[in-house]
């Protein structure tokens, strides 16, 4: 009986020793496994450059477009009007244009003063028109490269206290890559219409001299402007005698 009791105690001690060894081995493996885990800490050096806040976020969301894969542009207070005159049969009225350079992050408002933009379009423009019902559409082109042509009223020419479509329009060419805005018309003249299908980098328009609201209108003139040379030729015409 005494021997059996001793045997049971020995077996119990053996089982306890085996369990203790097994548990200690498991904890050792678990600890080593945790020590082998590499935790990647967040990189404190951000690769995002915050340039500055952009005004008119609603316009940026609804009316922005990408030009020539390198610029975002959007109008301020855009108002569209259907018209045969517009490049896509739509006139784009606005109070300003903003360009964002996607390479440098620079933000630029085109006009620094208050203006009324009557219309704007890219320098690679095609205007489609149908001469008469049922005929094939005709394509008329203006090609002055990666620039934007803008028609804008900068002065209250009719003296009513407002800048709007009733005032005389000027022609501007904006180069977003150089952030350069040029008013191209000769001093004292205003815009009437564009003439299409001229050579590349040439902008041809019909213009008139500024005059007082109650004075008789002056004869039209032709103005040819080379956007590369930044030079224009004014061709004045005499009144046709009846």
């Amino acid at each position: 009986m005494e021997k059996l009791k001793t045997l049971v105690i020995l077996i119990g001690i053996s089982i306890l020793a085996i369990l203790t060894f097994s548990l200690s081995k498991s904890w050792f493996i678990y600890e080593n496994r945790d020590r082998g885990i590499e935790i990647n800490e967040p990189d404190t050096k951000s690769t995002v450059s915050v340039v500055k806040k952009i005004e008119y976020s609603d316009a940026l969301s609804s009316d922005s477009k990408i030009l020539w894969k390198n610029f975002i542009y959007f109008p301020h207070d855009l108002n569209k009007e259907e018209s045969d005159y517009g490049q896509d049969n739509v006139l784009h009225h606005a109070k300003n244009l903003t360009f964002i350079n996607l390479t440098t992050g620079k933000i630029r408002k085109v006009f620094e003063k208050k203006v009324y933009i009557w219309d704007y379009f890219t320098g690679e423009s095609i205007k489609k028109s149908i001469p008469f019902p049922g005929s094939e559409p005709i394509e008329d082109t203006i090609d002055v490269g990666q620039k934007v042509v803008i028609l804008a009223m900068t002065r209250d020419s009719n003296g009513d206290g407002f800048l709007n479509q009733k005032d005389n329009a000027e022609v501007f060419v904006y180069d977003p890559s150089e952030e350069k805005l040029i008013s191209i018309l000769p001093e004292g003249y205003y815009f009437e219409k564009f003439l299409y299908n001229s050579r590349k980098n040439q902008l041809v328009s019909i213009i008139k001299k500024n005059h007082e609201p109650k004075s008789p209108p002056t004869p039209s003139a032709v103005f040819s402007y080379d956007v590369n040379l930044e030079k224009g030729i004014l061709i004045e015409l005499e009144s046709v005698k009846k």
Side-chain angles (χ1 to χ4, degrees):
M1 189 68 178
E2 192 67 29
K3 289 182 178 181
L4 181 60
K5 186 177 180 180
T6 303
L7 181 60
V8 171
I9 293 172
L10 290 174
I11 292 172
I13 292 172
S14 299
I15 293 172
L16 183 60
I18 292 171
L19 288 173
T20 302
F21 177 80
S22 299
L23 289 173
S24 64
K25 185 70 174 177
S26 298
W27 280 107
F28 178 76
I29 293 172
Y30 183 77
E31 285 183 2
N32 282 348
R33 185 184 62 193
D34 276 352
R35 287 172 185 158
I37 293 175
E38 294 184 1
I39 301 175
N40 294 322
E41 295 292 336
D43 187 3
T44 56
K45 296 180 180 179
S46 175
T47 58
V48 178
S49 299
V50 179
V51 181
K52 70 174 186 178
K53 293 181 180 179
I54 302 175
E55 297 178 358
Y56 300 94
S57 59
D58 291 342
L60 176 62
S61 299
S62 59
D63 301 316
S64 59
K65 294 181 180 179
I66 290 183
L67 283 180
W68 308 302
K69 300 181 179 181
N70 195 44
F71 303 96
I72 293 177
Y73 83 96
F74 62 93
H76 302 181
D77 298 325
L78 176 65
N79 181 23
K80 295 181 181 180
E81 176 189 354
E82 291 187 6
S83 170
D84 292 338
Y85 182 83
Q87 302 302 299
D88 49 2
N89 294 323
V90 175
L91 293 174
H92 300 80
H93 308 316
K95 292 183 178 179
N96 213 330
L97 292 170
T98 289
F99 279 77
I100 304 171
N101 189 314
L102 295 175
T103 300
T104 64
K106 292 186 69 175
I107 302 170
R108 165 72 189 270
K109 280 186 181 180
V110 173
F111 292 95
E112 296 180 357
K113 62 180 181 178
K114 185 177 180 180
V115 300
Y116 175 80
I117 295 176
W118 187 53
D119 196 21
Y120 60 88
F121 55 89
T122 62
E124 300 161 333
S125 178
I126 298 175
K127 179 179 172 59
K128 294 182 179 181
S129 60
I130 299 177
F132 52 88
S135 65
E136 293 293 325
I138 297 175
E139 292 187 348
D140 295 313
T141 62
I142 288 177
D143 187 358
V144 293
Q146 295 186 355
K147 298 174 177 63
V148 178
V149 180
I150 305 170
L151 299 173
M153 289 72 169
T154 64
R155 68 184 190 91
D156 181 18
S157 59
N158 63 357
D160 64 358
F162 300 96
L163 283 177
N164 52 34
Q165 68 273 15
K166 296 179 181 179
D167 295 307
N168 294 338
E170 301 172 46
V171 182
F172 296 85
V173 175
Y174 181 67
D175 185 343
S177 62
E178 297 185 7
E179 299 182 0
K180 189 174 184 179
L181 179 68
I182 300 175
S183 177
I184 71 168
L185 296 188
E187 184 70 27
Y189 282 83
Y190 66 93
F191 169 83
E192 278 207 313
K193 67 178 291 185
F194 285 117
L195 298 178
Y196 295 85
N197 304 317
S198 59
R199 62 176 170 79
K200 184 177 174 61
N201 296 318
Q202 185 183 40
L203 199 59
V204 181
S205 54
I206 302 297
I207 61 176
K208 274 193 172 184
K209 282 186 177 181
N210 291 323
H211 62 278
E212 297 299 322
K214 295 183 180 180
S215 63
T218 56
S220 298
V222 176
F223 183 65
S224 174
Y225 184 81
D226 190 305
V227 298
N228 279 352
L229 299 177
E230 297 183 4
K231 291 182 178 180
I233 298 175
L234 176 63
I235 306 167
E236 294 184 319
L237 306 176
E238 294 182 358
S239 299
V240 177
K241 296 181 180 179
K242 295 182 180 180

